[in-house]
């Protein structure tokens, strides 16, 4: 399984945009980029996924580099509830198991 | 249906005892996954089922671990002769075929196991 690299931690202020980076230089052509987050004392929850094009949903936006070797999860206006560990995961076309790294711990300050 | 449920939420046991956890997936989700998460780490894949068939098991799943999904609905994860190293959060997730692919996995709240 291809690996991803994320910063250990990031901080943001409430109501400001947050850009969470992820490097995946060994991504293959069939790997989708998935983002999950894990709020304290909860199981992970799906945020967004994409293959090549940028994606938007009600939770976030995903910007994918043209060479697909990196991506950025964008939270447009951080809230205190967005404080969580964010995981960037490459998932092959088989859509089976998720391989989690250590993720980025996001702290949001009032 | 309110999501994936797991029971119990917490389990404290003594080393050497057997424990069993239950996971109820979202209705009609035919894929069910088990993960294990230790403090400060991301979840690690253990095994997954498609309906009642166990299709993949991680090397992390030693002989002391067994998982079943007898009727393709709920699943159980049993750990025999527990060791202190088994202390972790055990997470269950489920997903459904959308007609194109299996996409997002829905996770339960987890069962926290403490082995004394």
């Amino acid at each position: 399984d291809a690996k991803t690299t994320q910063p250990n931690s990031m901080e943001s202020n409430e109501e400001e945009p947050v850009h969470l980076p992820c490097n995946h230089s060994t991504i293959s052509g069939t790997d989708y980029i998935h983002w999950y987050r894990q709020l304290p004392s909860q199981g992970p929850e799906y945020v967004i996924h994409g293959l090549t094009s940028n994606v938007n949903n009600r939770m976030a936006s995903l910007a994918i580099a043209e060479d697909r070797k990196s991506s950025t999860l964008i939270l447009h206006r951080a809230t205190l509830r967005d404080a969580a560990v964010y995981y960037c995961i490459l998932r092959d076309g088989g859509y089976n198991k998720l391989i989690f790294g250590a993720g980025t711990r996001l702290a949001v300050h009032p | 249906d309110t999501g994936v449920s797991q029971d119990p939420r917490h389990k404290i046991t003594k080393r050497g005892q057997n424990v069993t956890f239950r996971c109820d997936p979202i209705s009609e989700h035919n894929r069910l996954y088990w993960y294990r998460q230790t403090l400060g780490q991301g979840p690690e894949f253990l095994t997954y089922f498609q309906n009642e068939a166990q299709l993949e098991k991680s090397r992390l799943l030693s002989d002391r671990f067994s998982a079943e999904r007898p009727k393709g609905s709920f699943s159980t994860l049993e750990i025999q002769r527990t060791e202190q190293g088994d202390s972790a959060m055990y997470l269950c997730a489920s997903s459904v075929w959308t007609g194109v692919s299996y996409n997002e996995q829905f996770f339960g709240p987890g069962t926290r196991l403490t082995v004394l």
Side-chain angles (χ1 to χ4, degrees):
Chain A
D1 296 298
K3 289 187 175 179
T4 62
T5 305
Q6 299 177 253
N8 290 334
S9 63
M10 292 185 64
E11 296 186 1
S12 174
N13 294 319
E14 204 174 6
E15 298 189 3
E16 290 185 354
V18 181
H19 290 234
L20 296 164
C22 180
N23 288 320
H24 28 78
S25 58
T26 58
I27 190 170
S28 73
T30 57
D31 285 334
Y32 282 71
I33 302 159
H34 288 248
W35 284 82
Y36 281 72
R37 72 179 185 180
Q38 189 169 21
L39 301 170
S41 302
Q42 294 187 27
E45 66 173 342
Y46 168 83
V47 177
I48 200 166
H49 79 281
L51 183 62
T52 55
S53 304
N54 295 344
V55 184
N56 300 296
N57 67 20
R58 63 176 180 82
M59 290 181 71
S61 295
L62 176 61
I64 301 172
E66 195 169 337
D67 63 5
R68 300 208 327 125
K69 294 185 176 182
S70 65
S71 60
T72 302
L73 180 69
I74 303 166
L75 306 179
H76 295 285
R77 291 179 73 240
T79 70
L80 298 178
R81 289 191 67 255
D82 290 323
V85 179
Y86 287 79
Y87 297 100
C88 170
I89 300 164
L90 298 184
R91 196 175 184 193
D92 68 20
Y95 299 107
N96 296 327
K97 61 193 176 191
L98 296 172
I99 305 296
F100 290 82
T104 297
R105 182 173 297 278
L106 175 67
V108 180
H109 302 293
Chain B
D1 192 292
T2 56
V4 178
S5 61
Q6 293 187 245
D7 184 68
R9 294 290 307 277
H10 304 272
K11 178 71 176 179
I12 299 174
T13 191
K14 293 182 179 179
R15 188 176 53 185
Q17 297 295 305
N18 299 344
V19 294
T20 301
F21 310 140
R22 176 181 171 124
C23 170
D24 286 89
I26 293 173
S27 233
E28 299 180 358
H29 278 201
N30 60 339
R31 282 202 175 174
L32 186 148
Y33 308 79
W34 285 99
Y35 294 83
R36 180 174 69 187
Q37 185 173 26
T38 53
L39 209 58
Q41 304 297 315
E44 298 172 296
F45 168 79
L46 292 179
T47 187
Y48 90 94
F49 293 83
Q50 182 163 309
N51 300 313
E52 64 274 12
Q54 189 172 18
L55 295 188
E56 185 175 353
K57 292 194 293 185
S58 162
R59 288 171 296 174
L60 293 174
L61 216 63
S62 76
D63 291 345
R64 297 184 298 105
F65 287 71
S66 63
E68 293 183 343
R69 195 182 182 197
K71 296 182 179 179
S73 56
F74 72 91
S75 175
T76 57
L77 178 67
E78 180 183 16
I79 308 174
Q80 296 182 327
R81 305 180 304 281
T82 52
E83 302 173 356
Q84 288 184 326
D86 296 332
S87 295
M89 176 75 81
Y90 289 84
L91 293 160
C92 176
S94 68
S95 65
V96 67
W97 178 252
T98 64
V100 176
S101 65
Y102 290 93
N103 276 341
E104 60 188 288
Q105 291 185 17
F106 294 83
F107 282 80
T111 294
R112 180 165 295 286
L113 173 66
T114 302
V115 181
L116 302 176

